[in-house]
Amino acid sequence: MTCQCVEFAHGQCLIEIEPQLSETGQTRYVARMSVLEEAGSIVRPLFGQDGRRIKIFATSERLALRVAVS
């Protein structure tokens, strides 16, 4: 797993990226994001309106990070 801390204008975000094997046997990468509060001592995962954790799927680790940051 790769972790990257990104600082935005109104706070910090932790992006965790890990490889996953797809049903076709190819590796894809999943990025999960969390908001960091209180100098990183509190980590709050980001959830969508449907109540599920936000995940970004990509074909490479670099692409997953780039899409998560944008």
Side-chain angles (χ1 to χ4, degrees):
M1 178 185 305
T2 301
C3 295
Q4 182 76 36
C5 185
V6 180
E7 185 144 349
F8 294 102
H10 298 287
Q12 293 182 328
C13 181
L14 175 68
I15 302 170
E16 299 171 290
I17 302 170
E18 65 181 337
Q20 267 188 356
L21 218 55
S22 70
E23 295 169 357
T24 61
Q26 292 181 322
T27 301
R28 64 181 183 171
Y29 294 83
V30 182
R32 293 178 180 87
M33 299 180 296
S34 302
V35 174
L36 298 176
E37 296 179 358
E38 311 230 357
S41 63
I42 299 174
V43 179
R44 297 190 191 279
L46 292 177
F47 292 89
Q49 290 182 338
D50 61 359
R52 290 188 283 182
R53 180 121 189 236
I54 295 174
K55 296 179 190 174
I56 295 171
F57 297 95
T59 55
S60 72
E61 185 175 342
R62 185 177 185 181
L63 181 59
L65 178 62
R66 189 177 330 149
V67 172
V69 169
S70 66

